[in-house]
Amino acid sequence: MSKNFRTLDDVDVKGKRVLLRVDLNVPMENGRVTDATRLERVAPTIAEISGKGGKVILLAHFGRPKGRDAKDSLKPVATALGHVVKKPVAFAADCIGATAANAVAAMKDGDILCLENTRFHKEEEKNDPAFVSELAKLGDIWVNDAFSAAHRAHASTEGLGHKLPAYAGRTMQAELDALAKALEAPAKPVIAIIGGAKVSTKIDLLENLVRKVDALVIGGGMANTFLHAQGIGVGKSLAEKDLAATALRIIEKAKAANCAIILPVDAVVAYHFQANAPSHAYGIDAIPADGMILDVGPQSIARIHSAIDDAATLVWNGPLGAFEMAPFDRGTMVSARHAAARTKAKKLISVAGGGDTVAALNQAGVADDFSYVSTAGGAFLEWMEGKPLPGVEVLKQR
Ligand code: AMP
C-alpha cells in the first residue's frame, strides 16, 4: 500500500525532543488504572523513540475537566505507564510554561516525561494558536499516536502538526494501515455488518457504507426500523418509527450503488427485556404484536454466515442483538466466531471497532483473531462515515 503520511521511518529521533501525542484516557478507580490496554498500545512507540535516543515528551488529555482538577491529573497514569514500558516516566505538573520547560530541559537522550493533562487549559480544545506555540516550544518534532483523538482538531491532536514536522507513531500507523485495507483499497467483495440500538446515530455511516461495500448486513435494534419501514410488524421492539423514510432512502441508495442489503429473515422474540427471559424464534412476517425482537434468528445467522463466506473483507460495528443478556447474545457471538475462523483460515480480512463491538468480540473470545480491532470509539465511527479526521489529515505529506 502506498502510504501518504510520514512515519518514524522518515526521521532520525536521536537527541531530538519528541512531542508524542498519546491516548492515556484509561479507566481508573480510586487512583488506580483498572484497564491498561491503552497504555500497552502506545508502549511500542514510546520504547522505539526512547531506544533510539529521542527524548519522549508525552502529551495527552484525561477526562473532561473544566480547568485544573486534581481528579483528572495524569500523574497516576504516568506511574502506571512506567510499569508498562518498564522505564521511569517522569512527570511535570503543567504542559506549558516554566514547569514544563524546566522538566524538558533536564531530560537526557532516551528519557521519558509525561506532561500534565492538556485539557487543564481551555485553549487545548479551542486549538488556540498561542497555546499551540507554547506547546511547540517544548519540542523539535511532533508524533501523533492517538488515532482515538484524531477526530478532534485540538491543539495537541492537530494544531501542533502545523507548527512542527509531523509524523504518525506506530500505533497510529498500524490503525491507518488496517483501515485502508478495510475500506480504501480493500480486497473485494467487501461486506459490512452494522448493528446496535439505533439508526439515528448511524445514518451518515450507513449512507457512506452503501457506496463502498458490496453487501451490508443490518442487525440489532436498528434492523427493526428498516423492517418497520418495509411494512413488517415489529411488535413492541425497539424501533425508530419516525425514521422510516430515512431507512427507505438508505435502501434506495444501496440499490443504486449495487450494494445488497441483508436484513433479518427471522428473529428471537421475548416479552421482557431481561436476561434469560423466555424466548422463541419467529419468521420475520410473524412477529407477535406484544413481543420484542432481541436477537437475529437461526436462519438469519445462517444467511450472515454465507455472506461472510462470500466476502474477502469484513468491516463490523455494532452487535446483532442485545448481547449483554443471554441468550440474546447468540447471533453476535456465533457470527463473531465465524468471522474469526474465516480470518484464521486466511480467507477474510476482518476489521472491527466501537466500544460495544470490542466488548462483544471479547465476550466471544475472538478479539485477537480478527485482523484488526480498533479501540477508538468516536474516531472509528467518523472514519466509517467517510469523514476526514483532522489529526490524520495533518500527517499527510504536503
Ligand atoms: P450501539 O451503541 O448503537 O452500537 O448499540 C449497542 C446496544 O444495542 C447494545 O447495548 C445492545 O444491547 C443494543 N441492542 C442490540 N440489538 C437490540 C435489540 N434488538 N433490541 C434492543 N437493544 C438492542
Side-chain angles (χ1 to χ4, degrees), residues 53 76 96 146 165 188 204 356:
I96 54 166
K188 293 210 155 223
D204 290 349
D356 276 318

Side-chain angles (χ1 to χ4, degrees), residues 206-276:
L206 293 167
E207 292 201 347
N208 183 45
L209 286 179
V210 294
R211 291 188 283 117
K212 294 209 171 139
V213 305
D214 302 290
L216 175 62
V217 173
I218 301 177
M222 63 194 291
N224 303 337
T225 301
F226 281 84
L227 296 170
H228 165 77
Q230 294 182 314
I232 294 165
V234 294
K236 294 200 168 138
S237 306
L238 173 71
E240 293 167 288
K241 295 188 174 163
D242 52 331
L243 287 183
T246 304
L248 293 178
R249 186 180 75 222
I250 290 167
I251 290 173
E252 281 311 310
K253 284 196 178 171
K255 266 191 201 139
N258 257 331
C259 165
I261 298 265
I262 301 173
L263 281 163
V265 289
D266 61 347
V268 177
V269 174
Y271 298 89
H272 305 282
F273 191 81
Q274 63 189 48
N276 302 312

Side-chain angles (χ1 to χ4, degrees), residues 61 63 72 148 158 163 166 176 261 313 317 349 357:
H61 74 275
D72 288 323
S148 54
E158 199 269 348
K163 276 270 176 192
L176 295 179
I261 298 265
T313 304
N317 170 263
I349 292 169
T357 313

